[in-house]
C-alpha cells in the first residue's frame, strides 16, 4: 500500500468513527428527547434502523442498542393509538445489531439482558380466520412479551407474541420461542424447548 492509500485509509476510518460517534442517539441529544425515557449512559448506535412511536419507548441506564436496530411501537409513524409504555428495556442491556423490536401493546425486557444479533421480537402477528381476505389485512391480537432479567437471547432467535421468558434464561441461536420459558434454564430449537 503506498503512502497516499495509507493516508486516505486513515482519513476514511477517522471520518467513519466521527460519524458513528456523533450520529448516535444519547441522552441530551435532540433525537434522544423523542424517547419516553433514555437512561443516562445509553447509546443507540449509528447507523440507525427505522424508528417510530418513540414516546412509548423507555430504555434504562447504560444500555447499548446495536447498529441498524429497529425500534417501533404501533402500526406506523402516525398511529394515534400507541400505548404509553409499549417497549420497555431495563438497565445495562445490550441489544445486538440488526435486531427488530416491534411492539403494538407491550414488550418488556428486564435488566442485564443481552441479545445477539439479528433477533426478531414482536407482540402481534396476523390471523387467518378468512381464507378469502389477504393475510396482511387480518391483524392478530396483541399478546404481551416479557424477557426476564439476566437472560441471553442467541443470534437470530425469533420471539413470538405471547412469549414469557423467565430470569437467567439462555435462548439458543436460531430458536423460535412461543409460550412460557421458566427461570434458570436453557431453551433451544424450532419450536424452542427446555433442554
Amino acid at each position: 500500500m503506498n503512502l497516499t492509500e495509507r493516508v486516505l485509509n486513515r482519513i476514511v476510518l477517522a471520518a467513519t468513527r466521527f460519524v458513528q460517534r456523533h450520529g448516535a442517539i444519547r441522552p441530551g441529544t435532540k433525537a434522544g428527547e423523542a424517547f419516553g425515557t433514555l437512561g443516562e449512559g445509553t447509546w443507540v448506535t449509528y447507523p440507525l434502523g427505522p424508528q417510530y412511536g418513540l414516546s412509548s419507548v423507555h430504555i434504562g441506564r447504560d444500555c447499548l442498542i446495536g447498529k441498524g436496530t429497529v425500534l417501533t411501537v404501533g402500526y406506523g409513524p402516525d398511529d394515534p393509538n400507541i400505548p404509553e409504555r409499549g417497549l420497555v428495556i431495563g438497565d445495562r442491556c445490550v441489544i445486538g445489531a440488526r435486531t427488530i423490536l416491534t411492539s403494538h401493546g407491550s414488550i418488556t425486557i428486564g435488566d442485564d439482558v443481552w441479545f445477539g444479533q439479528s433477533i426478531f421480537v414482536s407482540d402481534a402477528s396476523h390471523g387467518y380466520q378468512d381464507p378469502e381476505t389477504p393475510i396482511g389485512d387480518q391483524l392478530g391480537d396483541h399478546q404481551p412479551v416479557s424477557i426476564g432479567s439476566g437472560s441471553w437471547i442467541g443470534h437470530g432467535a425469533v420471539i413470538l407474541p405471547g412469549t414469557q421468558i423467565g430470569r437467567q434464561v439462555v435462548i439458543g441461536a436460531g430458536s423460535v420461542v412461543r409460550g412460557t420459558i421458566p427461570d434458570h434454564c436453557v431453551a433451544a430449537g424450532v419450536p424452542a424447548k427446555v433442554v
Side-chain angles (χ1 to χ4, degrees):
M1 184 178 283
N2 66 38
L3 180 59
T4 302
E5 290 173 325
R6 288 174 56 89
V7 169
L8 288 174
N9 180 262
R10 290 183 67 190
I11 290 169
V12 168
L13 292 177
T16 300
R17 285 190 298 271
F18 178 86
V19 168
Q20 288 173 337
R21 178 170 182 77
H22 295 285
I25 299 174
R26 296 176 285 166
T29 62
K30 181 70 174 163
E33 294 171 3
F35 286 77
T37 307
L38 190 62
E40 195 63 39
T42 289
W43 283 62
V44 180
T45 56
Y46 183 89
L48 309 170
Q51 301 175 349
Y52 55 80
L54 292 180
S55 65
S56 182
V57 176
H58 299 269
I59 303 176
R61 300 176 56 87
D62 300 317
C63 293
L64 177 62
I65 310 300
K67 296 175 185 177
T69 293
V70 174
L71 302 171
T72 63
V73 178
Y75 285 100
D78 299 322
D79 186 345
N81 300 314
I82 64 172
E84 186 176 329
R85 297 178 66 81
L87 174 57
V88 178
I89 300 172
D91 296 335
R92 299 171 305 280
C93 292
V94 175
I95 307 298
R98 298 174 308 281
T99 289
I100 298 172
L101 300 172
T102 179
S103 173
H104 302 84
S106 176
I107 295 174
T108 304
I109 299 169
D111 297 333
D112 302 300
V113 173
W114 284 38
F115 279 37
Q117 297 182 11
S118 302
I119 291 165
F120 176 81
V121 182
S122 182
D123 63 356
S125 188
H126 58 78
Y128 190 65
Q129 296 78 16
D130 180 358
E132 301 304 317
T133 300
I135 303 303
D137 291 340
Q138 299 186 58
L139 302 178
D141 294 333
H142 301 164
Q143 300 174 41
V145 171
S146 69
I147 299 172
S149 294
S151 291
W152 167 262
I153 311 299
H155 178 91
V158 175
I159 311 297
L160 295 173
T163 298
Q164 307 293 307
I165 296 173
R167 299 179 75 249
Q168 305 287 69
V169 170
V170 173
I171 300 296
S175 296
V176 177
V177 188
R178 170 111 180 155
T180 301
I181 305 294
D183 294 348
H184 304 288
C185 70
V186 176
V190 181
K193 296 185 182 337
V194 174
V195 296

